[in-house]
Amino acid sequence: MHANDNESDDPLSRLVTLLARRMRTMSTADILLFEEQINIIKNGDDRSRIGLARMLVHKILHAERDRLAARDIPFTPNTYVREDYYPLEITLIRATMDKFQLSDDYKRKMTMAANDVAGAMARSKTLQYAQRHWPTMKEDQKIRALKIVQHLHQKHQTLDDFRCGSLTDLFFAHEPCIKPNGQDNPHFFLATHRSGFNRVFNNASGSRFATAMDRVGSKIDYNTHNDNYYFMRSFAAAAGAMHHEQQHVFQNALAMAFHDKMIDQHHPHYNDARVLHLLTKEECYMPGNIISLYRTQAIEDDAFAFQTAMTRRLYRPFSQGVWADDPQQCDAYKNSGCALFKKLKARIFGPRP
């Protein structure tokens, strides 16, 4: 390892190096502008940094939309930006978002939480069965299993003394990737999380009623169409996508706890909650069109890390589920109990392992 390896990993150092290489081909006005933007990253406050990041994202998307329009190519939510066309802007955004990262201790504790969630899943007979028979299960069986995955994640996901207590609506859609006319479906998704919490944080009217209504805004949409390879591919992949979205719910709950002053400045994860609250409040979210920025922003980096941690564990067979390899025991499990009673119980008490 060279002495300057750590320096080259710093986004701000890479930005200065990149700017120095390009100065000969840049106008004086552009050079002064980039120097001003670098100064905002180094010395500005959080809002000015976020404002800079949002402005640069808008600039990139607008330029890419115009570039493709000149060739009669539509720009959709599924269109990836040619990042090599915007190296300075993207490096500026990376350096900005590097100021809003979650702590190493938070990440370590999320790994520990993944162990707890995986252990709870391993004790569920329904999930033991699903892990071994996912490809042959019917759609309604898979949906029930995913509801249990969500339920156990919410129940066992903790951060020290904090637990996500918010209820989350779970919806299953059936959107194809390609429309019947052969065109791309702009509404196609694998799994998404939607939250109205930013409206709570920015409630200018001060209406308590409006704020209370906005709090009931956390939803997970999961696509059960065959085009959604997560749903069809394997139990671990399907559950992993659910864990990803449920982790966003946990992030929002932590941000809401910061908003409600339930986490004081002496809490070990006060700054983590502050970062999640700030990014949500200011609606600072890197779109999926710019794939490298999308993956490295704190909110998605955390969700992808938890998803990966869970997927790795779920590809390993649950040791408690060996009974599910016996066809007779499987049939007995599937057919035991009254189907109507099970549906009523699930409706009253919610999903249970």
Side-chain angles (χ1 to χ4, degrees):
M1 179 181 289
H2 297 288
N4 62 349
D5 279 353
N6 289 335
E7 182 180 352
S8 65
D9 289 337
D10 176 23
L12 202 55
S13 299
R14 291 199 301 270
L15 179 60
V16 173
T17 302
L18 183 59
L19 182 58
R21 290 174 183 171
R22 291 176 171 261
M23 286 183 68
R24 293 182 181 179
T25 60
M26 295 172 63
S27 67
T28 302
D30 285 340
I31 292 174
L32 291 175
L33 176 61
F34 279 114
E35 287 181 346
E36 179 184 345
Q37 292 170 338
I38 291 174
N39 185 57
I40 290 175
I41 296 171
K42 292 175 65 177
N43 304 311
D45 59 22
D46 288 337
R47 287 197 172 187
S48 62
R49 289 168 177 161
I50 286 177
L52 173 62
R54 289 192 311 209
M55 182 274 294
L56 290 170
V57 168
H58 178 76
K59 177 183 176 182
I60 292 171
L61 296 180
H62 184 76
E64 189 72 358
R65 187 178 290 107
D66 289 346
R67 185 181 73 83
L68 295 177
R71 300 162 55 193
D72 294 326
I73 300 175
F75 186 83
T76 73
N78 299 321
T79 302
Y80 289 145
V81 165
R82 279 288 303 269
E83 297 190 24
D84 53 318
Y85 284 16
Y86 315 98
L88 275 172
E89 290 83 358
I90 288 178
T91 309
L92 272 167
I93 298 170
R94 284 181 180 171
T96 303
M97 298 311 295
D98 194 55
K99 301 292 184 180
F100 305 101
Q101 293 297 319
L102 300 170
S103 67
D104 289 339
D105 187 51
Y106 173 94
K107 295 176 182 179
R108 180 181 64 82
K109 287 177 179 174
M110 289 303 99
T111 302
M112 296 169 60
N115 284 331
D116 294 338
V117 176
M121 292 176 64
R123 294 188 292 272
S124 164
K125 279 233 171 187
T126 299
L127 299 185
Q128 292 169 15
Y129 178 86
Q131 187 186 55
R132 285 166 163 76
H133 301 280
W134 189 262
T136 60
M137 287 171 61
K138 296 179 181 179
E139 184 175 302
D140 63 328
Q141 293 176 313
K142 291 181 179 181
I143 287 174
R144 179 172 180 265
L146 288 175
K147 287 182 177 179
I148 291 173
V149 169
Q150 182 204 20
H151 168 76
L152 292 178
H153 186 140
Q154 179 171 317
K155 181 179 179 181
H156 293 274
Q157 166 68 300
T158 60
L159 181 65
D160 293 342
D161 56 344
F162 176 80
R163 175 178 278 107
C164 174
S166 61
L167 297 175
T168 306
D169 288 330
L170 181 60
F171 298 95
F172 292 89
H174 203 69
E175 291 281 351
C177 183
I178 306 296
K179 291 182 175 180
N181 60 9
Q183 295 181 350
D184 290 342
N185 180 4
H187 301 294
F188 174 75
F189 57 84
L190 303 179
T192 58
H193 170 250
R194 294 176 291 161
S195 172
F197 286 167
N198 64 300
R199 296 194 300 272
V200 178
F201 303 153
N202 295 293
N203 181 20
S205 68
S207 168
R208 293 185 179 181
F209 178 75
T211 302
M213 291 298 293
D214 287 338
R215 285 171 183 262
V216 190
S218 194
K219 302 176 182 178
I220 293 177
D221 290 300
Y222 199 100
N223 193 349
T224 59
H225 195 275
N226 291 350
D227 290 344
N228 182 356
Y229 57 90
Y230 277 118
F231 184 69
M232 299 300 297
R233 181 176 160 194
S234 74
F235 167 72
M242 183 59 71
H243 287 300
H244 179 111
E245 303 307 331
Q246 187 63 32
Q247 187 65 10
H248 285 318
V249 176
F250 181 78
Q251 294 167 358
N252 276 268
L254 195 57
M256 184 62 76
F258 179 90
H259 174 75
D260 292 337
K261 296 181 173 54
M262 294 171 58
I263 298 179
D264 61 36
Q265 294 187 5
H266 302 292
H267 194 284
H269 295 288
Y270 174 83
N271 192 60
D272 296 312
R274 184 191 69 85
V275 166
L276 293 170
H277 174 265
L278 183 65
L279 294 177
T280 306
K281 175 181 173 62
E282 299 297 328
E283 299 184 41
C284 183
Y285 187 75
M286 301 296 107
N289 305 85
I290 312 175
I291 192 64
S292 67
L293 297 179
Y294 175 72
R295 286 285 189 133
T296 56
Q297 61 186 316
I299 288 174
E300 290 298 339
D301 179 52
D302 176 41
F304 276 110
F306 204 98
Q307 176 181 0
T308 301
M310 291 303 305
T311 302
R312 286 174 178 170
R313 288 166 172 81
L314 299 181
Y315 272 119
R316 299 194 292 266
F318 296 147
S319 58
Q320 298 97 320
V322 292
W323 65 270
D325 294 325
D326 183 345
Q328 289 186 345
Q329 291 197 56
C330 284
D331 289 339
Y333 173 72
K334 285 191 297 182
N335 299 323
S336 63
C338 172
L340 178 60
F341 175 74
K342 287 182 178 179
K343 289 182 179 180
L344 288 173
K345 185 178 177 182
R347 182 177 293 273
I348 296 171
F349 299 106
R352 289 292 183 270

